[in-house]
Amino acid sequence: MNVLELKDVTKKYGEFVAVEGVCLEIEEGKILSLLGPSGCGKSTTLRMIAGFTTPNSGTVAIAGENVDHLKPYERNVGLLFQDYALFPHMTVEQNVAYGLRYRGTPKPMIPSRVQQMLSLVRMLGMEARYPSQLSGGQQQRVALARALATDPQIVLLDEPLSALDAKLRLELRIELKEILRSVGATTIVVTHDQEEALSLGDEVVVMHAGKVIQRGSPIEIYKAPADKFVAEFVGRSNWFCATRRGRSSGDLSSYITSNGIEIRTRSAPTDRRGSADLCIRPEHIELMDVTQGVVSDEPDQNLLEGVVVDVAPLGADVHVVVDLPGETRLQVIRKNVGRIPTVVPGQPVRLCFAASDVLVFPT
Amino acid sequence: MRHFKSQLLLLLPAAAVYLFFLVLPLWTVIAESFRTFTPGRIGAVAGAPLTVKNYTEFAGPVYATYFGQTYVLAFFASVIAIIIAFPVAYYIAKNASASVRKIWISALVGLMFLSALVRIYAIELTFGSVGILAPFMSFVGVNMNGTAYINIIIIVGLLHYAIPISILIMIGAILNLNPRLTEAAQSLGASAIESHLSVTIPLCIKGIVSAFLVSMTFGVSAFAIPWILGRGRVQFISNIIYSRFSEVSNYPSGAAISIIMLVLSLLMIFIISRIATFFDRT
Ligand SMILES: Nc1ncnc2c1ncn2[C@@H]1O[C@H](COP(=O)(O)OP(=O)(O)O)[C@@H](O)[C@H]1O
Ligand SMILES: [Mg+2]
């Protein structure tokens, strides 16, 4: 059953449309990532679910029941704010117990529930501390314990990790997923970080300018982005503006860029002539030395030549920047495993990528 | 080093003014309060013998009444002012748009600039024994010359100043409040009222205490309000001090009572600040 259903929800601030016709539903126990750039209406969407903002039109239903007329405290929604919003004048224990107190948990049962929650987020022994005496990561855990304590029907996390530094963010991300799974919480997690969205969510919803652009599994979002915006926002990408050449053989098409570079693609959407934005992921490009063997020009492969401008060895990956003739610059990412031949700036190289890896977005 | 010197230079004018116009006169008052007074003279004679009689004189029950009237009425006025001002301050800080907030603040500041005497006489002309409401009051059976009624009118007079200043002080405290906190409380099941009682008010305690102390200081030192509205039936310490200095020229006695008041007020501020710090866990 769908725990949450948004139907055609729109929110305007004056003339400005912050959220436009958003439809969302989420099944019990699933984690949904709401991904989009800053200002695209993610927080507004969460606030409408929690009841702090009233939609101009559309309906919100929780567990099949329309909640439009319910105040925030009448909805059983757990909320984790970006800045945690822990009560600074209460101890960790009082913070976690707060919701239990007001949601009518019998008094004698509160302490054991608080202990259970603190053990879940591995914060036992910190009961008597005040939020100001905790690190950012610890505050985040307490806020999560507080939000989960009342066993809410749906948990909303607004940029839960963005206030933490990079290393802690990765650690807590894994832990967060583990905790949410272990309690079986139905969750919407809002983020502008694609890595977070793809790693946390069973499904990802991409928003842009107040609208839902695409919904799919993390793999689908990456492999088959619905439009140029999603392709650019999720993962890294190289772009070419190109015009379709008349002939195509089988399901292969051929495009030519303004700099005269030919790029073969598979499954172009239409067979009329026209221009398109072509996208190739840096990790799909292979790099070869020009002297390396004889090159056979297979029709379903693209073969380009260029000169290395920059090599950045970033641990697991090596990022290489290659200039093609005519001021086109490409990013190439190679895994730093096995025996990879080293390249140096100034070195002429061949680039190779499959036609099926090129994404085509007609313009 | 030069930096330090120039900072000292910056403090110099303030220090000079402070020493010359505050510490020196205060010292004169303290010195005067320990002199023996000979009735009929104006102030104590230079070199008059030292005494504590000026102080012990105020231990009697008559003066306890004056102190009681002063502090109790000021206390009630301050508490009532906080209760009335808090919701208004909350509305202005949270719900009013920036421009509406500006209008409110200007209006409140303007209200405080309105001459105190004008306001006091306005109250007297409305609620006083010959005021326009007098027929109505006698009709509903209120004794306008009773002490209870006069006390209430004095509190009303004090509120004229205490409410706007309390609102202005508490707006600042409420503006500093993270709005997510009340939202967090409500998402955890606390109703609007409950979330204010458990989160907003404890977190604004500093502002509330400041407002209380300012109202209290104003109330305790009020002069014209008890003088005019009290009609001689109710007197504040300030009125006693005034009569000591101006009517009987017993400067030592007036000085002693001023010093007692100063000490009491400092004590009050100290105790209340301690209590506030105890409750303020932020
Ligand atoms: N209370 C408000 N009044 C006016 N505009 C608002 C308000 N809240 C949000 N907005 C606007 O709505 C848009 C979406 O905001 P938000 O939902 O917070 O974005 P996100 O969380 O995706 O970064 C933003 O452009 C923001 O400026
Ligand atoms: Mg946001």
Side-chain angles (χ1 to χ4, degrees):
Chain A
M1 192 191 64
N2 288 334
V3 173
L4 175 77
E5 250 183 273
L6 299 195
K7 275 211 196 90
D8 211 16
V9 169
T10 296
K11 177 67 196 175
K12 292 180 193 162
Y13 292 110
E15 287 294 293
F16 178 75
V17 186
V19 170
E20 191 174 354
V22 164
C23 295
L24 268 188
E25 62 284 333
I26 174 166
E27 277 172 49
E28 181 146 19
K30 295 275 190 237
I31 303 177
L32 186 81
S33 294
L34 199 52
L35 173 67
S38 185
C40 73
K42 308 182 296 289
S43 296
T44 306
T45 307
L46 283 200
R47 295 175 61 78
M48 289 190 286
I49 298 169
F52 292 116
T53 302
T54 314
N56 292 84
S57 62
T59 59
V60 179
I62 297 177
E65 190 194 340
N66 189 317
V67 295
D68 292 331
H69 58 288
L70 293 184
K71 296 251 185 311
Y73 52 86
E74 295 165 330
R75 309 182 182 193
N76 194 4
V77 170
L79 202 50
L80 182 70
F81 292 96
Q82 191 167 357
D83 58 1
Y84 314 139
L86 290 174
F87 305 127
H89 59 303
M90 294 184 195
T91 60
V92 165
E93 185 172 14
Q94 291 166 332
N95 264 285
V96 178
Y98 191 93
L100 300 170
R101 242 166 73 203
Y102 287 99
R103 291 242 186 260
T105 309
K107 255 215 166 100
M109 287 169 65
I110 292 179
S112 66
R113 179 70 178 159
V114 170
Q115 289 299 306
Q116 190 190 347
M117 293 321 294
L118 288 179
S119 114
L120 182 69
V121 299
R122 298 203 278 135
M123 284 291 288
L124 281 176
M126 303 275 191
E127 292 86 347
R129 296 227 192 155
Y130 284 92
S132 59
Q133 299 168 314
L134 300 176
S135 72
Q138 291 173 327
Q139 289 183 23
Q140 211 256 6
R141 289 158 191 266
V142 175
L144 186 64
R146 184 179 71 175
L148 294 176
T150 54
D151 208 1
Q153 287 171 302
I154 180 155
V155 178
L156 307 175
L157 311 175
D158 195 352
E159 311 257 2
L161 303 168
S162 65
L164 305 170
D165 57 65
K167 192 151 190 285
L168 197 59
R169 201 179 304 169
L170 184 66
E171 267 176 47
L172 270 176
R173 189 171 86 199
I174 295 163
E175 225 184 298
L176 180 63
K177 195 168 170 181
E178 225 182 318
I179 292 170
L180 292 172
R181 291 251 182 277
S182 75
V183 299
T186 311
T187 308
I188 297 184
V189 51
V190 154
T191 174
H192 63 264
D193 183 312
Q194 40 125 348
E195 212 176 284
E196 247 166 66
L198 301 185
S199 64
L200 282 173
D202 297 309
E203 269 198 295
V204 178
V205 167
V206 184
M207 276 186 81
H208 180 42
K211 291 190 195 134
V212 170
I213 304 292
Q214 187 174 12
R215 173 179 187 152
S217 71
I219 298 288
E220 278 165 6
I221 299 281
Y222 171 79
K223 287 234 159 150
D227 67 3
K228 190 178 172 195
F229 169 80
V230 179
E232 220 166 357
F233 194 70
V234 179
R236 294 163 183 276
S237 48
N238 293 298
W239 292 90
F240 301 96
C241 279
T243 317
R244 181 129 178 235
R245 288 214 301 205
R247 272 181 320 114
S248 54
S249 59
D251 56 353
L252 287 175
S253 317
S254 169
Y255 282 83
I256 195 130
T257 74
S258 51
N259 298 326
I261 300 168
E262 191 202 357
I263 295 181
R264 294 165 191 166
T265 69
R266 184 149 261 171
S267 66
T270 55
D271 59 358
R272 64 184 164 82
R273 288 171 87 101
S275 57
D277 288 316
L278 306 182
C279 168
I280 177 76
R281 305 274 187 202
E283 56 273 25
H284 289 157
I285 304 176
E286 277 207 66
L287 207 57
M288 292 177 296
D289 199 287
V290 266
T291 56
Q292 206 173 25
V294 188
V295 179
S296 60
D297 188 10
E298 310 207 8
D300 60 349
Q301 291 287 318
N302 285 288
L303 207 58
L304 307 175
E305 283 185 12
V307 178
V308 174
V309 213
D310 185 52
V311 181
L314 303 178
D317 296 333
V318 180
H319 289 205
V320 181
V321 180
V322 177
D323 267 355
L324 303 182
E327 311 211 339
T328 311
R329 196 156 261 200
L330 283 192
Q331 288 246 10
V332 181
I333 297 178
R334 319 171 75 198
K335 286 278 151 248
N336 205 353
V337 288
R339 285 192 317 129
I340 55 161
T342 50
V343 289
V344 292
Q347 183 181 342
V349 284
R350 272 202 192 100
L351 305 171
C352 179
F353 51 91
S356 55
D357 282 336
V358 179
L359 303 169
V360 182
F361 301 100
T363 50
Chain B
M1 199 59 211
R2 266 189 58 190
H3 185 65
F4 181 66
K5 264 189 195 157
S6 60
Q7 277 186 343
L8 272 187
L9 268 177
L10 277 176
L11 287 177
L12 210 58
V17 168
Y18 188 78
L19 266 176
F20 213 72
F21 294 108
L22 208 80
V23 175
L24 191 63
L26 194 61
W27 175 248
T28 324
V29 171
I30 292 174
E32 182 79 12
S33 73
F34 287 104
R35 296 287 177 190
T36 306
F37 175 69
T38 321
R41 297 200 59 99
I42 295 181
V45 194
L50 295 179
T51 177
V52 291
K53 192 178 150 286
N54 296 321
Y55 285 94
T56 52
E57 180 196 351
F58 292 110
V62 182
Y63 290 102
T65 312
Y66 290 131
F67 277 104
Q69 269 167 3
T70 307
Y71 280 89
V72 168
L73 292 189
F75 176 82
F76 276 114
S78 308
V79 169
I80 295 169
I82 298 280
I83 293 170
I84 294 175
F86 190 83
V88 181
Y90 192 87
Y91 162 77
I92 296 172
K94 291 285 167 194
N95 297 341
S97 67
S99 51
V100 173
R101 192 185 308 151
K102 268 196 199 118
I103 295 172
W104 266 98
I105 291 177
S106 322
L108 289 167
V109 171
L111 202 58
M112 291 201 308
F113 273 105
L114 194 65
S115 159
L117 277 179
V118 171
R119 283 190 293 185
I120 296 165
Y121 279 113
I123 294 173
E124 181 64 18
L125 288 178
T126 315
F127 297 98
S129 53
V130 293
I132 53 166
L133 286 183
F136 172 73
M137 290 295 182
S138 71
F139 179 73
V140 295
V142 174
N143 175 12
M144 298 183 82
N145 289 312
T147 317
Y149 183 79
I150 291 177
N151 281 338
I152 290 171
I153 295 303
I154 290 179
I155 290 180
V156 169
L158 295 175
L159 286 177
H160 259 245
Y161 177 88
I163 289 176
I165 192 74
S166 295
I167 294 176
L168 287 172
I169 291 173
M170 289 191 293
I171 286 176
I174 295 166
L175 276 177
N176 278 337
L177 207 66
N178 179 355
R180 303 279 161 265
L181 293 176
T182 38
E183 290 183 355
Q186 291 187 24
S187 79
L188 290 165
S191 67
I193 301 263
E194 287 167 335
S195 71
H196 288 317
L197 288 178
S198 61
V199 174
T200 316
I201 290 179
L203 289 176
C204 287
I205 199 76
K206 270 190 191 134
I208 293 173
V209 167
S210 309
F212 177 81
L213 283 178
V214 170
S215 302
M216 193 72 190
T217 311
F218 165 79
V220 163
S221 60
F223 174 74
I225 292 171
W227 193 42
I228 297 167
L229 298 178
R231 285 184 275 141
R233 306 284 303 266
V234 176
Q235 283 197 308
F236 273 25
I237 300 296
S238 308
N239 305 116
I240 306 290
I241 296 175
Y242 176 78
S243 86
R244 283 301 140 90
F245 275 100
S246 304
E247 287 162 16
V248 295
S249 295
N250 187 345
Y251 291 3
S253 174
I257 198 170
S258 308
I259 299 299
I260 294 174
M261 218 175 133
L262 180 71
V263 170
L264 277 181
S265 296
L266 288 179
L267 206 66
M268 178 188 78
I269 291 175
F270 177 75
I271 292 171
I272 291 174
S273 313
R274 288 312 290 262
I275 294 173
T277 326
F278 176 76
F279 280 112
D280 186 24
R281 300 288 194 172
T282 50

